[in-house]
Amino acid sequence: MSVVLTSIEGAVATVTVNRPEALNAINTDVLNALEQAFAEVEANPQVRAGVLTGAGTKAFVAGADIKAMQAFGAEEARAFSAHGHRVFALMEQSRLVWIAAVEGFCLGGGCELAMAADWINASAKSKFGQPEVNLGLIPGFGGTIRLVRRVGQAKALELCATAEMVRGEEALRIGLANALYEPGEVLVKTQEQAALIASKGSLAVANAKRVIRAGADLPAERGNAFEQQAFGIQFGTADGQEGMAAFVEKRRAGFTGK
Ligand code: DAK
């Protein structure tokens, strides 16, 4: 059985980290399989939104694989970190919105993987944390950067320095999760949300994602200029014309992704 599974339902792809016996811990095989899965989904014109999850109900992903990392020297650790950064960034660079559906433990590299998605939907029984200092380590898959952007510098450092876990409700409160669902419901609810996104103009969704993600790293003046350019581009698309015509003609828009 592959360590990463991909299923496609309508226009929604669901990518599942599938090592439940190790609480879906991330090793090199998982990174390679995720890289392949993201590339295949990206290239599939049928797919218009993505969901990332973990197999089983006990964990989304309980971290990087500690047993595998134990054998690393500094150079292997740096290469493993670079590999993870490259693979996780594929979701950020994607034309698709990616949503992480988190049930159970979401720790260390697992929390970093979830944060590389565009947002996180959490189960009320989920537990988030960056417990690397318990192992004498620090986050190595982008957590120090992405966590600060989600929850602010002081809360990010508090989580990384104390290794304390927070429950789904607290993750929602601090802005780490966007939504909270009953245990067992988060995947289905997230797939429903992804299907809603997939029903919109896909070029517009991709453009909005590109502008918002780029804008977060730009000074406001350049971000505003980038938005103006991107706004103009939408008017040259068939979807933009169709969406406005449908409103004026009081009918449902038929988007083609062109
Ligand atoms: N790695 C490997 N195996 C893991 C694992 C992990 N992160 N988490 C759990 N497992 C395995 C357990 O070893 C156990 O396997 P067996 O011993 O049965 O073979 C199985 O999953 C079930 O786990 P438990 O028996 O421990 O289950 P419990 O319910 O008792 O406890 C737990 C659940 C989540 C509280 C516990 O498993 C736990 O504390 N896990 C470790 C959580 C953790 O510390 N995660 C952060 C990992 S560090 C870097 C790159 C990346 C990173 C850092 C640096 N560079 C390259 C520089 C990231 C680091 C991390 O993510």
Side-chain angles (χ1 to χ4, degrees), residues 25-219:
I26 298 169
N27 58 17
T28 297
D29 287 346
V30 170
L31 290 180
N32 285 331
L34 278 175
E35 190 165 16
Q36 194 180 336
F38 290 147
E40 284 172 6
V41 167
E42 192 72 22
N44 184 337
Q46 181 190 331
V47 178
R48 289 151 71 108
V51 174
L52 176 69
T53 195
T57 54
K58 193 164 171 187
F60 170 76
V61 167
D65 189 319
I66 300 165
K67 293 168 191 169
M69 287 198 300
Q70 199 184 1
F72 288 173
E75 180 47 35
E76 284 166 301
R78 194 208 54 76
F80 186 55
S81 173
H83 190 187
H85 272 265
R86 193 176 74 241
V87 173
F88 290 14
L90 294 175
M91 282 189 290
E92 289 175 340
Q93 295 155 1
S94 173
R95 68 185 167 87
L96 307 168
V97 163
W98 281 93
I99 313 169
V102 172
E103 194 79 61
F105 292 108
C106 183
L107 303 174
C111 191
E112 294 173 290
L113 177 63
M115 288 190 291
D118 292 302
W119 65 83
I120 296 170
N121 289 339
S123 146
K125 276 204 176 157
S126 56
K127 285 188 178 172
F128 293 81
Q130 296 288 163
E132 287 87 352
V133 292
N134 286 340
L135 306 166
L137 303 175
I138 67 166
F141 287 148
T144 58
I145 306 303
R146 293 194 181 99
L147 188 59
V148 169
R149 291 176 184 195
R150 292 280 165 103
V151 304
Q153 184 179 317
K155 182 53 83 176
L157 182 53
E158 182 188 343
L159 289 169
C160 290
T162 63
E164 290 290 315
M165 292 185 210
V166 297
R167 292 179 182 278
E169 201 176 317
E170 176 70 355
L172 181 69
R173 194 186 70 79
I174 63 178
L176 184 51
N178 268 21
L180 196 65
Y181 294 106
E182 290 300 314
E185 287 189 355
V186 64
L187 178 58
V188 168
K189 295 287 188 192
T190 302
Q191 287 168 327
E192 285 171 9
Q193 187 180 39
L196 173 70
I197 293 164
S199 73
K200 311 296 180 190
S202 55
L203 289 178
V205 172
N207 212 358
K209 168 171 171 167
R210 201 166 59 96
V211 175
I212 287 172
R213 281 213 169 267
D217 292 330
L218 290 172

Side-chain angles (χ1 to χ4, degrees), residues 8-34:
I8 295 173
E9 188 73 40
V12 175
T14 301
V15 170
T16 305
V17 181
N18 183 41
R19 291 186 75 209
E21 72 286 356
L23 303 189
N24 303 320
I26 298 169
N27 58 17
T28 297
D29 287 346
V30 170
L31 290 180
N32 285 331
L34 278 175

